[in-house]
Amino acid sequence: QVQLVQSGAEVKKPGASVKVSCKASGYTFTSYGISWVRQAPGQGLEWMGWISAYNGNTNYAQKLQGRVTMTTDTSTSTAYMELRSLRSDDTAVYYCARDAPPSGGSIDYWGQGTLVTVSS
Amino acid sequence: SYELTQPPSVSVSPGQTARITCSGDALPKKYAYWYQQKSGQAPVLVIYEDSKRPSGIPERFSGSSSGTMATLTISGAQVEDEADYYCYSTDSSGNQVFGGGTKLTVL
């Protein structure tokens, strides 16, 4: 069965960076992409970007361009999302989700979520 | 930027039909997906490509799309269907977007 297991909760200070991991199993990792989605407390879902696990192509949400980097490690079937220059409004649960090639747009399975808290 | 618009809330009695709409200019050309999110849990896919139901999703969940509006229908809603529902699609540039979410109350 498809599983996406994310790293644990993080507490960061404003201006710092955070890197969240997402280990995939139960399917051929390089046949799909990974989208990252976040949800601020009490708010809706916000798409952050997509990465192809096949060739590393990325598509980031415009509002996060320059602050976010998504990567994959095919040897361990793990995806990573790094967010820099953290602000208090980056406090959210961050989800990875399996998404289809060639450019995403069809999320099916989700990770359990990683809470990132940004606080001084 | 592209937006998908959902009603903030829908309320039905158990056994009634709940309909949640999602409007977006690109929906005539792009598929809509629907996710159910219960409190404190990750979202779960309930409808994909406008009207297809993943395995394990009850038959009371159905989807349709016409013009600029997609609709999630829950026929004979049950108390356990109470959750937030999000539509999701892409714009013409491939950017992905979620609707604002609809809180379904069944009581």
Side-chain angles (χ1 to χ4, degrees), chain A residues 35 37 39 43-47 49-50 59-62 95 99 103-113, chain B residues 1 31 33 35 37 40-45 48-49 55 84 86 88-90 93-100:
Chain A
S35 272
V37 177
Q39 186 171 36
Q43 302 301 308
L45 302 172
E46 178 187 12
W47 177 74
W50 172 88
N59 181 22
Y60 299 140
Q62 189 171 7
Y95 294 101
D99 203 348
S103 57
S106 54
I107 288 173
D108 51 8
Y109 292 92
W110 297 69
Q112 83 277 18
Chain B
S1 61
Y31 286 126
Y33 294 69
Y35 303 91
Q37 187 180 34
Q41 298 182 19
V44 172
L45 178 68
Y48 67 101
E49 294 181 357
S55 61
D84 294 325
Y86 293 91
Y88 161 82
S89 187
T90 57
S93 300
N95 298 305
Q96 301 173 41
V97 63
F98 289 92

Side-chain angles (χ1 to χ4, degrees), chain B:
Chain B
S1 61
Y2 185 50
E3 291 185 356
L4 296 173
T5 302
Q6 299 180 234
S9 63
V10 168
S11 181
V12 298
S13 300
Q16 288 189 328
T17 296
R19 293 182 179 84
I20 300 172
T21 58
C22 172
S23 64
D25 290 342
L27 289 178
K29 296 185 177 180
K30 299 292 185 180
Y31 286 126
Y33 294 69
W34 291 93
Y35 303 91
Q36 175 194 70
Q37 187 180 34
K38 296 184 177 180
S39 181
Q41 298 182 19
V44 172
L45 178 68
V46 295
I47 293 291
Y48 67 101
E49 294 181 357
D50 291 345
S51 59
K52 298 176 182 177
R53 193 174 54 248
S55 61
I57 299 301
E59 291 184 7
R60 62 181 180 273
F61 287 87
S62 64
S64 62
S65 187
S66 178
T68 60
M69 184 169 290
T71 302
L72 172 68
T73 301
I74 307 172
S75 303
Q78 302 184 6
V79 173
E80 60 262 36
D81 299 331
E82 195 161 282
D84 294 325
Y85 290 85
Y86 293 91
C87 63
Y88 161 82
S89 187
T90 57
D91 66 14
S92 56
S93 300
N95 298 305
Q96 301 173 41
V97 63
F98 289 92
T102 299
K103 181 177 181 60
L104 175 65
T105 302
V106 183
L107 54 76

Side-chain angles (χ1 to χ4, degrees), chain A residues 71-83:
Chain A
T71 57
T72 59
D73 181 344
T74 57
S75 68
T76 59
S77 298
T78 302
Y80 299 91
M81 185 284 299
E82 181 180 32
L83 188 61

Side-chain angles (χ1 to χ4, degrees), chain A residues 23 104-105 117:
Chain A
K23 183 170 177 59
T117 303

